[in-house]
Amino acid sequence: MSASRGKFNSRIGFILAAAGSAVGLGNIWGFPTQAAGNGGAAFVLMYLILAFCLAYPAFMAELIIGRHGQANAVESLRKVSKDGWQKKFAFIVGFGGILCAALLMSFYSIVAGWMLAFTAEPITTLVGATDTSNWLTAQSTSRNLIFTLIFTLLTVFIISRGVENGIERWSKRLMPALVALLVSLTVYVLTLDGAMDGLKAYLIPDFSQLFEPSLIVSALGQAFFSLSLGTSVIIIYGSYVAKNENLVSLGASVTLIDVFIAFLAGLLIIPAMYVAAAQGVQIFDANGALISGDTLVLTVLPALFDGMGSVGVIVALAFFALMSIASLTSSISMLEAPVSYTVERFGIARNTATMVIGALIFATSCLIIFNFNTLFGFVIALTTQYGQPIIGMLCCIFVGWIWHRSSLLEELKSGNEHVENQLFWKIWPWYTKLVCPVAIALVFIHSL
Ligand code: PFF
């Protein structure tokens, strides 16, 4: 089986693919709005602490399980388990993660569809197709169905091409485009009137909020979502990493890129909101808090772009193209989780597996679209507030309590001979064993 498995061909290929999974709507949309609503720089600071102290160790746990197993999430977890109950536990955690990834994709592709529709809108406006422009930007079942389908097909196309020709090649193309767009937009927005007020709101901390329980819960949830944890995605990507790669530095690179891009997105979005305010757009809600969620991205920012005149059309196009690209590099990782399992477990051809699973996920998206008010928020809460933290915590338990320490060390030594003498090995094993599960459980219980 291993001979037919895909593999990342280069270190940079893995870094860009894993960073592509990590960097998505969570960074460009979620992080800035959560920062805005939770004391600005205080949230940024807590996010940095939790991303490096809790999410990075959990990320490493999943990465190592995958690289050791060289198989889909269920099989990789089974390889570190010993007797009967451990193997069953491995199945529950691995399959739970796969289900979580598939469910995540069912709502993520709806939101990503909105981004595609908003990318098309400046073009229809430019050619004077006003009715189409209105249809593209207003919530409707038909628009949601069509753009969710287009987005799902794009994801299916990339995943059907496999690891090297699909995930790696497209991540290498899309990630640099994303960074270039993000940096250009940020530089541009920072030159506009009102941007400096936004910069202050984003960067000057209100330390009184730093230990607010709700801030900590939001920051941890955001860090887990952002690093794609608890979905078996990192286990799968880890399984495509060559044995001569240094996992400690690979994991650190991906975490750093993810945090950096989230921070950069904040430098774009928050100042952009204040620029919009300077142009008369409403950016505070009735309670005086900054507007967040879909109102921000789908109302405030388009109003800002409208106010810019003809250049606004280009900026709007660039901004929503950026959001679409970021979503695509994340959704491909979500689809890869169930596809790799099905291909390896049932010996089905990748093309067939991708199409069947893509169709099932699209059917779930349709169910959500037709029952939007009841299901949309429910599926988001189920996957991001419950599924991801619980499964992420169980992966830490696997590494800390089930996997034999000497076998774990052997895996880490592959590609990093001296890891035993490094700070990482002195801290990470007991940290993952004790601190991570307890801290995640505490935050999780609190969020309930
Ligand atoms: N990390 C992605 C984001 O920040 O948008 C979302 C995500 C991707 C979550 C893949 C989970 C996952 F498995």
Side-chain angles (χ1 to χ4, degrees):
M1 184 194 288
S2 60
S4 63
R5 289 195 92 235
K7 184 160 101 33
F8 288 116
N9 277 327
S10 60
R11 186 178 167 81
I12 190 70
F14 167 79
I15 293 178
L16 290 183
S21 168
V23 174
L25 296 173
N27 300 61
I28 302 176
W29 177 342
F31 177 79
T33 54
Q34 296 227 32
N38 283 294
F43 179 87
V44 179
L45 189 64
M46 183 51 76
Y47 177 79
L48 291 178
I49 296 171
L50 292 178
F52 288 109
C53 298
L54 274 180
Y56 169 66
F59 184 91
M60 287 307 297
E62 296 193 21
L63 192 62
I64 299 171
I65 292 172
R67 215 270 300 260
H68 175 75
Q70 297 283 302
N72 64 77
V74 171
E75 217 28 62
S76 293
L77 281 161
R78 279 169 156 259
K79 280 192 186 160
V80 293
S81 328
K82 281 167 238 88
D83 50 40
W85 73 265
Q86 291 188 358
K87 299 257 185 225
K88 281 197 193 100
F89 186 41
F91 176 80
I92 292 169
V93 177
F95 197 73
I98 290 169
L99 264 184
C100 188
L103 264 181
L104 263 163
M105 186 172 156
S106 67
F107 85 76
Y108 205 81
S109 52
I110 299 175
V111 182
W114 299 345
M115 301 304 132
L116 283 183
F118 274 74
T119 310
E121 189 270 339
I123 303 168
T124 52
T125 302
L126 215 56
V127 299
T130 320
D131 286 348
T132 316
S133 293
N134 291 341
W135 176 74
L136 286 170
T137 51
Q139 276 291 3
S140 72
T141 304
S142 62
R143 189 223 35 197
N144 286 349
L145 282 176
I146 291 174
F147 280 91
T148 304
L149 178 63
I150 297 175
F151 185 81
T152 308
L153 288 175
L154 284 173
T155 310
V156 163
F157 166 75
I158 296 178
I159 286 304
S160 65
R161 315 218 49 188
V163 181
E164 301 92 322
N165 293 327
I167 302 175
E168 184 166 356
R169 176 181 294 174
W170 282 92
S171 301
K172 276 178 162 170
R173 286 176 182 166
L174 296 174
M175 285 303 284
L178 182 137
V179 174
L181 272 176
L182 188 55
V183 172
S184 331
L185 274 170
T186 307
V187 170
Y188 175 68
V189 165
L190 287 179
T191 62
L192 302 176
D193 278 350
M196 288 308 131
D197 291 335
L199 212 52
K200 279 190 210 141
Y202 183 50
L203 295 178
I204 297 178
D206 172 2
F207 282 118
S208 66
Q209 292 197 36
L210 189 61
F211 295 106
E212 279 285 324
S214 63
L215 182 145
I216 299 176
V217 171
S218 307
L220 186 71
Q222 178 61 30
F224 261 64
F225 182 70
S226 193
L227 275 175
S228 309
L229 297 175
T231 55
S232 82
V233 158
I234 301 306
I235 300 186
I236 279 300
Y237 275 21
S239 78
Y240 300 138
V241 172
K243 286 284 186 187
N244 59 359
E245 293 291 358
N246 178 341
L247 291 180
V248 178
S249 65
L250 272 185
S253 310
V254 175
T255 309
L256 278 172
I257 294 177
D258 186 52
V259 167
F260 172 72
I261 296 211
F263 184 74
L264 197 60
L267 283 181
L268 166 67
I269 304 278
I270 309 294
M273 290 180 82
Y274 281 79
V275 172
Q279 296 179 2
V281 179
Q282 176 71 27
I283 64 164
F284 295 101
D285 63 20
N287 302 323
L290 274 176
I291 282 172
S292 59
D294 54 355
T295 330
L296 164 64
V297 176
L298 304 179
T299 314
V300 174
L301 296 180
L304 163 72
F305 303 143
D306 274 352
M308 287 177 179
S310 50
V311 73
V313 177
I314 313 282
V315 179
L317 190 98
F319 177 78
F320 286 107
L322 170 87
M323 300 289 268
S324 306
I325 293 173
S327 317
L328 192 57
T329 53
S330 296
S331 67
I332 56 180
S333 69
M334 294 174 197
L335 184 57
E336 179 63 11
V339 166
S340 60
Y341 175 70
T342 314
V343 168
E344 290 174 11
R345 171 72 179 75
F346 302 105
I348 298 175
R350 175 172 271 271
N351 259 331
T352 318
T354 311
M355 274 184 253
V356 172
I357 293 169
L360 285 174
I361 292 176
F362 179 64
T364 314
S365 303
C366 291
L367 207 66
I368 298 175
I369 291 171
F370 285 118
N371 300 282
F372 198 82
N373 291 339
T374 29
L375 286 186
F376 187 66
F378 171 75
V379 175
I380 294 182
L382 184 70
T383 49
T384 63
Q385 285 176 16
Y386 298 89
Q388 287 194 270
I390 293 177
I391 292 164
M393 183 178 72
L394 293 178
C395 285
C396 291
I397 290 177
F398 247 97
V399 165
W401 297 90
I402 294 183
W403 198 347
H404 205 280
R405 201 177 145 90
S406 58
S407 157
L408 179 61
L409 178 60
E410 207 180 303
E411 185 54 47
L412 274 167
K413 272 185 167 173
S414 165
N416 186 5
E417 250 184 276
H418 305 295
V419 69
E420 209 171 347
N421 307 319
Q422 292 168 359
L423 193 63
F424 181 83
W425 181 251
K426 297 202 166 79
I427 297 177
W428 180 77
W430 64 262
Y431 197 84
T432 312
K433 185 172 184 152
L434 301 169
V435 180
C436 286
V438 173
I440 298 168
L442 281 179
V443 174
F444 176 68
I445 290 165
H446 180 85
S447 77
L448 295 180

